[in-house]
Amino acid sequence: MSGHPVQLKQINLTVSKDQIRAALEVIHDVRSPNQIRQEASEYLEKVKLDDEAPHHGYTIAADQSQPPVVRHFGLSLLEHAIRHRWNEYTLEQSTTLREWELRLAQNLTDQDPSYLRNKIASIWVDVAKRSWALDWMDMDECLTRLWDGPLASKELVLAVLETLSEDVFGHEDLIAGLRSSDLSRACFEIFTPMTVLQDHYSSRGTNINVRYGDEGWLSRMGDLLEWCISQEGTHATGQACAVKILVTLRSVIGWAAPQSLSATRMTLRSCQALRSSHLPIQLAAVDTLHILSSRTKLSEGDLKELVAPMFMTDTVDLLQKLYDWSCVDATDIDEEKYLLLKKLSELVFNVGGLLVDHSTLVPIDSSFSVFLRLLINIAKNHSLQVSVCAMHAWVKILSSEALVSSPPVASSVGELLEVCSQRVIKYEALPEHHPDPSVIFLNEDFDSMPERHAFLGNYMRFCKMITERIVQQSPADALFHILSSAEQVISHLYDGEPAFGMHSYSRTSMPFLKMDAQCSILEAGLKGSVRWLGPGGHEQEVMLQNLKVWCERILGLNFEDPSVKERVIQLAVGFATGPLKKDARFVLKIFDYILDTNYPDDARYPSYSEAVKDLQSLCIHELQRLAMKFPDYLITIFDEVEHKVSRVSHAVTRDNGVRNRYHSVLFIITHRATSVNPQPRQERLEAFLQPLVAQWQSSELTESLSSFNMFCELLGCGGIQQYVSKRALHEMSDWSATPLDDEGKALQMHMQHALEKLPLRATKAFLSVSVEKLEPNSTAHELAGRLWEKMIPMILPNLLHMIRQAHAFHDAVNWKGLPPEMSGIVRRILTDRFWQVGISVGSRDEFYAKVGDTKNTVEGLASSIRATVRAVRETGYKLLCYMGLLGEHFYSYKELPQPLSAALFTEAHALSTHQMAMLVETIRPVIENCPVASRSHFLPPILAGLFEQLDRKASDEWDKIEQKNRFSEGRASLDEEMRDESVLRQLTYTSVMLVVGLLDPSKPNPPDAKLTNGATPNGLQHVEHGNVRSFILATPEILKPLILFCTHAIRMRDTRSCSFITRVLGSLVPEFETAGEIDTEVREFLSTEVLKACITSLHDSYFVDLQKDLAQLIASIMIIYTPRTKTPRQILLSLPSIPAEKVDQAIQQLYKAHQNTRQQRAIVLDLLESLRGVSISEQGRISKSDPRKIRSAIQQSYMSVDMQEDGKVKEKSPDLGGIADMFGRP
């Protein structure tokens, strides 16, 4: 391209136009042969690369006689030159490009299609990001002159302003990031009215002169918006312009100076737009107000100016009318109105949050009452996704001391309680085609069942919080309402329903769901009453007596359904441990009631039989809970309790494991009662444990664990290999369709009996109740430590051998009884079965029903084998976790770490991905609870072994996934791959979150337990006083495998995990900039392997959404390490197409941008532009998502993770459940 417009060549211009037009016609004609279409595409790509392409593009785009599609391609030629060759042009040439762009903008007409206008605006912004406030100083004047033209010109200006605002302040735009300081300052100048600049920012020095006129763009847009709304009925084009103004304001209003918004009356003007009858205007106005109400860090004065207008009676009335108009029928959902309804509820939630945080801004008057009425109406909406925002707002209001006692709030609680009572039912248990409107809306709103369950969990939590706070504020009236409603429902559970029958038992029957809902509300009310209880008084005594009478009346009813009985027992224990906890007689009555609960089992009805077993398990759990809470009550009648527990345990079951759980209740009472003499207590507790210890120390058990074959005999699996070989299971394609013969059934029973004989379950029963819900260093905790300190050395050797052999069971090498051609059968036998939403065929219930039907098939035998080994493995993990809660009584053994590491990790490579994830999840507390004094001897072998295995397992499995993806065949193969990848993501995320927890600099140390004699543990003198992060960074034995795992995790195809890892590594970079030996070694590793991994992922289109995180880590390495080592620079120089001058320039730019992280990322991304991966949507291979289907941040927070009442989210480990091995109950 030549330097001056008049010197630009015009070679074969007419021919080029005709050829371009012909090529475009070929591409868009569906009848064109593929080869011809390919040739046309190649020709157009060559046109883009031609030196004269910008001139051709301008000429074509400016030619009004050309079809719009041809002119659009002309604009694409200009755009390509600006985006990809701008730095090659001289100042004269770039000025020419800018002048062409201005002429195209000036010549735009109302008849031109909107996509041409948007393209011109995009090119304008591309030029502005590169030259505005640098060598283009009159851009604001150019925009203002266009603004004075017709509406088409105004819409062009609005498109420019919106795109510029989004790129500078909203998106992580590469070019805008390189000039972020200059561009953000210039935007602030041109949008802000001059009066605001003079009054509030006079001290803000500036050497740039970019603005034109005194109004500023906020003022101009506000004036035009007001005119468009007033003329809406007579100007259709004004409606479109109003929408465009509001959309532009939405992008600006989040960063504009609050004084500017106040001066231009943006709140009032946006509220006035709600009066429009045009739905797109209403949507845009709600979006704008939502952004405005989401602003943080505003002063009280700014809030009064910007927020107070939203609480004016007229505004609230307007919101109510808009809500009434936008409500939709569940059977005939208008998608646009429904979208408006959801956005409106989010806006009202934001406004309610502002009310709570700044209650002094709004007087408690009629407008407040009107706003609360609006909140009530939204809460009642049949769509739970609309209702949830109002429910969340009510939680905040009822938690505010300034608002909860106000008359308007008090007058609303009755309706709120009614809503909560109706909405706590388990909607997920209702049939998919249930006629309830809420169910219909749920089906519309959620495609993913996990998201739906998480959302419903959060919704139910809000209902319970509201109930709890209402009862806390007005206990007498609220409890009367709740108890009366509950009694009415309970008295008519089976109205309109068939009578209960064992044959027709269902966990999701309507009587149970109604009972469950009432119990949930009652339990929330009991929590609220406990918060209210004070030192005493007549009113309190009356309330407690009423609660007691009501509960006793319910206990006197007969419930045939075991699931309903479960909820009654849970509720009764809630009364006993809550408001009636000081009533010893009542507590003992509940204890007896639970002991007397006994339902007949009937194996003819499997579902009912399973429910009876669940009820029995719950009874024991609640007895343990009462024993932990009231040991001093129960010790006074211990002999009577002991006699009754022994009688009941022998009467209701023959299972020794269940009997041991009953006896653990007696253990708890003896252990935790404060009035028992120490010596007799110690002797009695030891008497409980001696039989267990004897089992662990038996020579038979030790011998059975000495070899793999004898371990198989111990589990009753000794004949499995012979049976598998004899029946040639490897030749059977469908195990579920092959009946199990008598020998196979005998093997199943043998495994079940063998498992029951092991001391695992009994040890777990007594060890768990010894440590659960005890504060470290409490008397009971110290007693447990002294008690188990003697037992642990006797248990651990065989326990560790058992865990190791359970791991070895998964290694086909150890199945020596099978011929070589059957080695693959081991994996098939031990592969867990899963159901996963969106992947598995059929529903979850259908899947589990199918699994249940296979109990007496070959697949059922395989499931029993898996269940037996899993019970040994996971119970072993759990015992280690419980021992870890004993503190130094467990960790201080010098001989423990190496054998423990060997048992857990030597054979762990044979575990499946899911099983490895379970190992990480269950062993994590053992690591985190390690006392400071024991770190130096305990953690190194444990963490080194763990991360070596995790790195090996995760890396190998991701490699296998990559191989499978290349050669997958058929639907069945695809289903398996998707399941495998989903489980692998869970392992990756679980492992990464362990790293995050270990390297969290703010994580406190665990409390150190006092030792029996006050001495150092077993002579260990070395004590670390820093947190676990500092310990790991100073321990090469741990640090090296941990960083190696993190480096490989950067390449693992799980964006959530990769994002966490880049931030973790980013936090480590500054730790190794000194000259120490460890620092130098780690610094070189980070500068080579980590940097290479980041660049490789940056090149991979899969990680396109993480390019910001990867670029930040690369920038940190370059800024901190290049002054000390040449390695990062050498790595960058080894990349193709990146000259040394560009690398050195980027390094110098990074030094200057030391405090501007956005600019740092932009510099790195610009340097590696030729290597960056491109998203599929950018490649044009898929279309972008429908905006109506994109969930807002608030909606996403309600359905992804559990929420706290303040709206923040709690991190939680991924759900690793879902195994369908339902036989051989552990």
Side-chain angles (χ1 to χ4, degrees), residues 11 60 128 246 300 483 497 609 615 623 673 743 762 905 919 922 939 973 982 1027 1046 1118 1137 1145 1197:
I11 303 173
I60 294 171
L246 288 164
E300 289 294 314
L483 294 175
E497 300 287 338
S609 178
L615 173 60
L623 289 172
E743 184 181 356
F905 308 123
L919 171 60
T922 51
L939 287 183
S973 176
S982 176
N1027 61 12
C1046 292
M1118 293 172 66
S1137 306
Q1145 181 184 16
S1197 69

Side-chain angles (χ1 to χ4, degrees), residues 225 229 246 268-277 281-282 285:
L225 175 63
I229 296 299
L246 288 164
L268 284 173
R269 283 169 160 169
S270 299
C271 288
Q272 286 300 314
L274 295 175
R275 297 185 183 278
S276 170
S277 59
I281 294 179
Q282 295 168 337

Side-chain angles (χ1 to χ4, degrees), residues 649-882:
S649 67
H650 284 80
V652 301
T653 182
R654 296 179 180 179
D655 187 333
N656 285 329
V658 177
R659 288 177 179 174
N660 280 319
R661 288 188 66 200
Y662 272 109
H663 290 143
S664 70
V665 175
L666 304 175
F667 181 92
I668 296 169
I669 298 170
T670 306
H671 174 212
R672 305 201 184 195
T674 59
S675 57
V676 182
N677 292 329
Q679 189 59 35
R681 185 214 306 265
Q682 185 82 12
E683 294 173 357
R684 189 175 186 99
L685 292 175
E686 289 178 358
F688 279 107
L689 303 182
Q690 285 302 335
L692 296 178
V693 175
Q695 277 188 277
W696 282 108
Q697 288 191 299
S698 71
S699 57
E700 292 85 357
L701 180 61
T702 302
E703 185 178 358
S704 296
L705 295 171
S706 62
S707 71
F708 178 75
N709 287 337
M710 296 188 72
F711 174 71
C712 292
E713 293 289 345
L714 178 69
L715 298 189
C717 299
I720 292 296
Q721 296 185 51
Q722 181 181 357
Y723 180 82
V724 167
S725 179
K726 182 173 68 175
R727 291 212 56 186
L729 298 192
H730 64 295
E731 296 178 358
M732 299 179 185
S733 59
D734 188 356
W735 287 356
S736 300
T738 307
L740 196 60
D741 58 16
D742 291 340
E743 184 181 356
K745 293 177 181 178
L747 281 172
Q748 277 185 322
M749 293 299 298
H750 189 40
M751 283 187 284
Q752 182 178 340
H753 293 322
L755 184 61
E756 290 175 359
K757 291 179 182 178
L758 295 179
L760 284 167
R761 293 170 65 189
T763 307
K764 179 184 174 184
F766 285 102
L767 186 52
S768 63
V769 299
S770 299
V771 293
E772 284 182 342
K773 299 182 180 178
L774 287 180
E775 290 294 326
N777 300 327
S778 64
T779 302
H781 186 270
E782 285 301 305
L783 175 58
R786 290 194 301 271
L787 177 67
W788 285 98
E789 189 175 32
K790 303 174 185 178
M791 313 294 180
I792 288 175
M794 304 176 193
I795 295 173
L796 271 177
N798 278 338
L799 174 62
L800 297 183
H801 283 306
M802 199 176 286
I803 293 173
R804 184 166 181 170
Q805 293 289 13
H807 287 180
F809 196 91
H810 292 267
D811 194 340
V813 173
N814 296 317
W815 291 52
K816 300 185 184 301
L818 295 178
E821 65 270 17
M822 293 186 67
S823 60
I825 202 78
V826 178
R827 174 180 172 84
R828 186 175 173 187
I829 291 173
L830 298 176
T831 297
D832 298 318
R833 291 181 289 176
F834 292 92
W835 180 88
Q836 287 184 291
V837 64
I839 297 175
S840 301
V841 178
S843 69
R844 180 189 180 98
D845 291 339
E846 290 171 345
F847 173 78
Y848 279 106
K850 183 179 179 181
V851 170
D853 292 339
T854 64
K855 181 174 182 178
N856 294 318
T857 66
V858 171
E859 179 58 42
L861 175 63
S863 186
S864 295
I865 298 171
R866 290 192 290 269
T868 301
V869 180
R870 185 175 69 251
V872 173
R873 189 178 65 244
E874 296 184 3
T875 305
Y877 300 160
K878 203 64 182 174
L879 290 178
L880 293 174
C881 291
Y882 290 137

